[in-house]
Amino acid sequence: MAERFEMESKFRGESLVRRGLLRETRSGKQVRIMPDLNVIKIGGHGVIDYGRDVIYPLVEEIGELSRNNKVLVATGGGVRVRHILDVGIDLGMPTGVLAELAGKISEQNAIMMSILFSKYNGTRIHTDDLLNLPSLISLGMLPVVQGTPPYGLYEHPPKLGSIPPHRTDTGAFLMAEVVGGKNCILGKNVDGLYTENPFVNPDAEFIPEITADELIEMEMEDMVLEPKAVELLRDAVHVTEIKIVNAHVPGNITKAVNGERVGTLIRA
């Protein structure tokens, strides 16, 4: 029997699935590319779709923040994503195709938001440009990227239904994690996380702080962020919390960036 050609490596002969090996790799220190970066996700459905009355003041707030803070803006998709998912599901599109379609909508929002940030050196970047962030921000740019993670046709099958599980909340979190960012802030149209949808039940209880495990154990029927982002938070190396704030309230994003208590804090 022919012998396999090997290269000297600590992983020589490994299947790369052995649990003991995986535990060993967890102890390795990872580089934090941008430990001062604030990833601010502007929701599509909860923020952008409200138009200029909400967006114009928010652009000014985030733009001014970017003068003294390192900021990456990520955009959601909004009502147009919901429409294309509805049509796509009706036509029998696979989940991977739905993810591909949804990403094109959040890309449209990234283009518009980058233009609105023009006076703050806003520039639209793509999801594979993240390693250019240190250079772009050092040049005084305010990068804007679509929030949909680039799984595309390779999107994972969801546990329930056919809607892609990795959407823009998850994308913002993954971007913050891979560059070792300081903050992952999700801008929404509610004050934070509630026990139920507060638009449906005005008596829903506000949750100011909770761990990812506690939130998952609640098995909520509905919540303000994607479950996948909460699941991934438990295994993150760098980003140990997600902040959910009401982006309709002037000053909330600034408070979150500065470490003040506002909205909901989800801890790993």
Side-chain angles (χ1 to χ4, degrees):
M1 185 176 179
E3 293 186 5
R4 177 172 51 206
F5 287 95
E6 290 280 10
M7 297 178 66
E8 286 301 322
S9 166
K10 186 169 65 176
F11 297 154
R12 178 176 175 174
E14 287 283 359
S15 65
L16 302 182
V17 297
R18 182 170 63 85
R19 290 180 178 272
L21 174 68
L22 298 180
R23 281 191 290 269
E24 292 173 14
T25 63
R26 181 70 179 186
S27 63
K29 185 176 181 180
Q30 295 184 12
V31 174
R32 298 194 75 162
I33 300 170
M34 295 201 71
D36 296 326
L37 183 70
N38 299 279
V39 177
I40 302 174
K41 187 246 173 162
I42 302 177
H45 189 248
V47 184
I48 296 173
D49 286 349
Y50 283 82
R52 68 172 61 197
D53 289 346
V54 172
I55 288 298
Y56 281 14
L58 188 60
V59 165
E60 295 299 314
E61 179 178 352
I62 294 175
E64 291 300 323
L65 271 173
S66 72
R67 296 189 189 278
N68 299 302
N69 297 273
K70 296 177 181 179
V71 173
L72 169 65
V73 173
T75 57
V79 67
R80 283 163 292 143
V81 165
R82 284 153 177 77
H83 175 70
I84 197 63
L85 290 177
D86 187 17
V87 174
I89 290 170
D90 182 64
L91 295 175
M93 295 297 106
T95 294
V97 173
L98 296 176
E100 188 84 359
L101 294 169
K104 297 183 186 304
I105 306 298
S106 52
E107 179 72 24
Q108 293 171 3
N109 283 342
I111 293 170
M112 291 193 292
M113 291 305 301
S114 68
I115 292 171
L116 293 176
F117 281 116
S118 290
K119 79 173 188 177
Y120 297 103
N121 295 324
T123 182
R124 192 258 297 213
I125 67 170
H126 299 281
T127 51
D128 57 357
D129 292 329
L130 296 183
L131 296 183
N132 295 328
L133 287 175
S135 298
L136 290 169
I137 291 178
S138 69
L139 292 171
M141 311 299 283
L142 174 52
V144 182
V145 65
Q146 63 123 329
T148 305
Y151 287 97
L153 300 177
Y154 296 85
E155 172 63 284
H156 301 187
K159 293 179 181 179
L160 180 65
S162 57
I163 293 175
H166 298 91
R167 301 190 298 281
T168 53
D169 292 341
T170 306
F173 167 77
L174 289 173
M175 285 186 270
E177 171 65 15
V178 74
V179 300
K182 174 184 176 182
N183 280 311
C184 177
I185 301 168
L186 306 182
K188 302 287 185 177
N189 63 340
V190 290
D191 291 333
L193 182 68
Y194 288 80
T195 53
E196 297 179 58
N197 185 337
F199 291 112
V200 176
N201 179 10
D203 296 323
E205 182 181 348
F206 177 69
I207 303 173
E209 185 171 342
I210 193 170
T211 68
D213 282 334
E214 290 169 343
L215 182 52
I216 291 170
E217 288 174 5
M218 290 178 69
E219 295 185 343
M220 295 172 63
E221 171 66 20
D222 194 7
M223 61 180 178
V224 72
L225 80 163
E226 298 153 22
K228 184 57 70 175
V230 181
E231 293 173 14
L232 294 174
L233 177 62
R234 297 183 300 177
D235 300 320
V237 174
H238 300 303
V239 178
T240 58
E241 58 188 35
I242 295 174
K243 299 177 180 180
I244 305 171
V245 303
N246 191 336
H248 291 231
V249 178
N252 271 358
I253 297 292
T254 301
K255 290 178 182 178
V257 167
N258 291 335
E260 300 177 42
R261 289 305 302 266
V262 61
T264 294
L265 181 67
I266 303 175
R267 295 181 285 104

